[in-house]
Amino acid sequence: MERVAAHGHMRMVEAGEVLIKVGTPITHFYVVGSGTLEGLQPMENGETTVRIITSGQFTGEVSMLSGRPALVTLRVRDPGEVIEVDREKLLSLVQTDAELSEIFVRAFLLRRVALLSGGFGDVVLVGSNHSSDTLRIKEFLTRNAHPYTSVDPDRDSGIQDLLDRFRFTIADLPVLICRGTAVLRNPSNRQIADCLGFNESIDQTHVRDVAIVGAGPAGLAAAVYAASEGLDVLVIESNSPGGQAGSSSRIENYLGFPSGITGQELTGRAYTQAQKFRADVAIAETATHLDCAPKAYKIQIDSGEQITARTVIIATGAEYRKLPLDNISRFEGAGIYYGATFIESQLCEGEEVIVVGGGNSAGQAAVFLAQTARKVHMLIRSKGLAETMSRYLIRRIEDSDRIILRTCTEITALEGNGHLERVSWRKDQESSETHDIQHVFVMTGAAPSTKWLSGCVILDEQGFVKTGPDLSREELAGAQWPLSRPPHLLETSRPGVFAVGDVRAGNVKRVASAVGEGSIAISFVHGALQE
Ligand SMILES: Cc1cc2nc3c(=O)[nH]c(=O)nc-3n(C[C@H](O)[C@H](O)[C@H](O)COP(=O)(O)OP(=O)(O)OC[C@H]3O[C@@H](n4cnc5c(N)ncnc54)[C@H](O)[C@@H]3O)c2cc1C
């Protein structure tokens, strides 16, 4: 307490005094000397107590690091004395005092987990689990670790009262009730981020040392190293932090996690770590154009804003390949999925599912889904898995009596009214057979997300960004490379613009290599900033 007190001041507090108001930015951190504080959540008929904080305990959860609006009101229950510390000073303290940092950051994370599992949020989602937009909104909130309560009208008949209160009909769903007041009808991810104030505390106008585009493992690793080494860093993420890895049910080959870790957990921790070191992470903002004029680079954002930075790290990874079927987009999120996490596994509990693809991500999905689904049909176009999948996964697939491997097989048609109902497939180019299956997991690899670079840096034939020694003399001359030195290892054909992770030509498509490249790119960024 003495060490904390050195960064703040003692003050008396009166019963009933509000120290932090729900929905407003958190400005202070408190340690209770005497008396008690209570964390309160507004409810329809008053408030509910989420937590009591007594002498020797401290306030805060993850929003303390991110600067996002408070999820609970903090009020004095019994008068006493507290140490009051500015949020800015607390952030400096967690960076300089490793012991206190461990205690605070661990508590902030665990308290967020408790808020998540208790559904203590300022958001209520009303929508059917069979709707693709309900699923999208759930994934967005979950991957941003924002607690919410969800109500499914298919299961909860009492829902009409709630809808009547806001003058909505079933046809308006999904509806998101945000902070108890704003009611959003089928909101985009960006509207949700705006309503919950995800980007409120981020200044997007000043020139950054480094702008990182993409918050998958590569971008998050770059953010952690850049921010911890004192650089002014802004990360721009079009969806939620975590990238492809965030959609992995269990990553078993990442060093240091012998029993595996879910992609959501791994990348969620990395996101908190980046915020701890004061990296700004703008959520639901898409980079649409990179202006490569020399000196400060400019990144155009879909919101109309422009980010200026002295160096840029391209970490936009890759997007899932789709099946070549005309009506596939009609069923995306309503029977067609590109990731197999806990949310999707709940939707197909006890049912038959299809996993398409023969790589490691498909193998993981099949093994994971076999825990809850009745039967998993694994469809691959080749004759076997040996050339495309790790041996440990092949063995688990062989050992599972719920997984049926169907070689030389491809999907030919999807049918359904709103939600997917039937799937046709054919083997060895013979005639198709149709099955009543409502869930298909497409795990057929990914293509690089590089369209937004608009010719600014040199790409290979598949659209991946070329870097360092992969760039030939002729290519550099064509791109008017201006320096006497050749590009650094991860540097593109523009000085100070780097590419890391899955988006980079020649990258090994693994979490570990994305993290490795993201972190070493920062040493080159330091050099480029001094040039
Ligand atoms: C289901 C699944 C399971 C996997 N399992 C494993 C595993 O067990 N072990 C392993 O080592 N690897 C695994 N992988 C591979 C691993 O996840 C990837 O190699 C890794 O995520 C690549 O990281 P990245 O940061 O380079 O790119 P990504 O993870 O693709 O992240 C890129 C990010 O950039 C964002 N973005 C894209 N375009 C823009 C834009 N224009 N503006 C702003 N943001 C943008 C995206 O939204 C995304 O968040 C798996 C992949 C999948 C799909």
Side-chain angles (χ1 to χ4, degrees):
M1 285 176 76
E2 269 170 31
R3 263 149 65 193
V4 177
H7 297 265
H9 63 276
M10 298 293 286
R11 81 167 175 95
M12 304 304 291
V13 286
E14 300 296 330
E17 188 179 338
V18 174
L19 301 176
I20 295 170
K21 194 166 180 304
V22 69
T24 60
I26 298 175
T27 51
H28 291 96
F29 168 83
Y30 298 92
V31 183
V32 180
S34 60
T36 47
L37 309 181
E38 56 185 341
L40 300 158
Q41 178 112 92
M43 303 294 278
E44 202 185 336
N45 310 315
E47 296 166 327
T48 184
T49 301
V50 177
R51 173 170 296 271
I52 301 284
I53 301 161
T54 57
S55 167
Q57 297 183 330
F58 54 87
T59 63
E61 54 86 48
V62 170
S63 306
M64 184 71 78
L65 299 176
S66 63
R68 286 186 188 170
L71 292 172
V72 292
T73 289
L74 188 71
R75 199 167 60 198
V76 181
R77 177 181 268 204
D78 302 305
E81 203 176 24
V82 296
I83 305 170
E84 186 176 66
V85 183
D86 255 25
R87 176 175 164 265
E88 286 295 312
K89 289 196 174 146
L90 176 83
L91 292 179
S92 309
L93 179 63
V94 292
Q95 282 179 51
T96 49
D97 190 323
E99 196 184 5
L100 288 181
S101 167
E102 194 193 320
I103 295 168
F104 294 157
V105 176
R106 192 173 133 78
F108 293 165
L109 279 170
L110 291 173
R111 284 177 181 168
R112 174 57 68 98
V113 171
L115 287 173
L116 280 170
S117 59
F120 288 117
D122 46 3
V123 171
V124 180
L125 172 64
V126 186
S128 162
N129 272 339
H130 294 298
S131 141
S132 57
D133 283 312
T134 304
L135 196 65
R136 168 183 59 79
I137 296 170
K138 276 189 173 183
E139 275 188 355
F140 184 70
L141 293 169
T142 304
R143 286 182 62 174
N144 281 291
H146 196 92
Y148 67 94
T149 312
S150 80
V151 190
D152 182 349
D154 300 341
R155 295 183 187 191
D156 188 341
S157 52
I159 194 65
Q160 198 57 49
D161 289 348
L162 186 73
L163 293 176
D164 290 347
R165 214 181 113 211
F166 292 104
R167 299 208 180 103
F168 277 114
T169 65
I170 292 281
D172 293 317
L173 302 184
V175 161
L176 189 87
I177 304 168
C178 174
R179 294 178 168 176
T181 48
V183 183
L184 308 175
R185 188 185 308 177
N186 195 11
S188 66
N189 291 350
R190 192 185 173 89
Q191 286 172 307
I192 302 172
D194 286 347
C195 180
L196 295 175
F198 282 0
N199 302 329
E200 238 166 49
S201 61
I202 301 176
D203 173 9
Q204 304 200 357
T205 55
H206 71 271
V207 180
R208 303 281 178 159
D209 291 330
V210 55
I212 299 169
V213 187
L220 288 172
V224 166
Y225 279 83
S228 67
E229 290 170 21
L231 298 180
D232 180 0
V233 42
L234 172 67
V235 185
I236 303 150
E237 167 54 52
S238 59
N239 193 2
S240 319
Q244 297 170 71
S247 66
S248 169
S249 46
R250 186 154 286 271
I251 298 169
E252 298 203 45
N253 53 1
Y254 190 64
L255 191 73
F257 295 90
S259 54
I261 181 163
T262 65
Q264 167 69 29
E265 211 182 332
L266 180 71
T267 55
R269 286 178 191 204
Y271 179 34
T272 305
Q273 201 172 7
Q275 289 175 325
K276 171 184 130 168
F277 288 117
R278 312 188 72 170
D280 284 333
V281 185
I283 300 298
E285 300 213 340
T286 301
T288 53
H289 179 78
L290 175 61
D291 176 359
C292 295
K295 296 292 170 200
Y297 291 105
K298 291 188 171 28
I299 300 167
Q300 194 64 46
I301 306 295
D302 57 350
S303 59
E305 297 199 48
Q306 203 173 47
I307 307 292
T308 310
R310 296 163 67 205
T311 62
V312 174
I313 295 184
I314 301 164
T316 42
E319 278 173 305
Y320 314 114
R321 281 210 180 85
K322 301 195 171 183
L323 296 178
L325 297 165
D326 290 342
N327 59 352
I328 190 152
S329 54
R330 261 181 49 206
F331 300 112
E332 281 169 352
I336 295 285
Y337 316 99
Y338 296 97
T341 65
F342 180 67
I343 295 180
E344 289 84 12
S345 74
Q346 279 182 316
L347 296 179
C348 47
E349 196 171 348
E351 299 185 27
E352 279 188 51
V353 306
I354 295 174
V355 173
V356 185
N360 277 356
S361 57
Q364 276 177 18
V367 170
F368 173 67
L369 292 166
Q371 294 169 16
T372 43
R374 184 158 48 88
K375 208 185 269 182
V376 179
H377 302 271
M378 202 170 173
L379 270 51
I380 59 169
R381 281 199 305 205
S382 60
K383 289 186 179 145
L385 296 172
E387 282 178 17
T388 50
M389 196 180 286
S390 299
R391 187 63 218 152
Y392 82 96
L393 281 169
I394 298 179
R395 212 172 300 128
R396 284 192 207 167
I397 288 167
E398 286 166 353
D399 289 349
S400 169
D401 50 9
R402 291 197 192 174
I403 305 177
I404 304 162
L405 180 64
R406 299 186 181 278
T407 56
C408 307
T409 304
E410 58 188 347
I411 293 186
T412 52
L414 305 170
E415 291 169 63
N417 186 9
H419 195 278
L420 181 65
E421 290 165 23
R422 283 171 302 282
V423 180
S424 304
W425 68 61
R426 81 173 160 218
K427 185 173 166 65
D428 294 326
Q429 301 295 318
E430 287 170 9
S431 56
S432 294
E433 48 186 271
T434 302
H435 298 261
D436 290 340
I437 294 180
Q438 296 173 5
H439 307 281
V440 176
F441 292 83
V442 182
M443 303 288 188
T444 47
S449 308
T450 46
K451 282 202 192 97
W452 67 280
L453 294 168
S454 17
C456 173
V457 297
I458 291 180
L459 309 178
D460 73 2
E461 313 78 66
Q462 279 98 39
F464 290 93
V465 183
K466 287 182 104 171
T467 54
D470 287 348
L471 288 157
S472 67
R473 268 171 197 272
E474 295 71 38
E475 283 172 324
L476 289 174
Q480 296 176 340
W481 175 259
L483 305 177
S484 54
R485 66 160 177 83
H488 293 302
L489 190 62
L490 301 168
E491 200 167 25
T492 66
S493 51
R494 293 279 165 181
V497 179
F498 301 86
V500 294
D502 277 21
V503 77
R504 195 179 71 77
N507 161 277
V508 182
K509 309 286 181 263
R510 293 281 183 276
V511 177
S513 61
V515 168
E517 290 182 9
S519 44
I520 58 174
I522 299 306
S523 59
F524 301 124
V525 164
H526 285 296
L529 286 171
Q530 276 161 21
E531 238 161 19

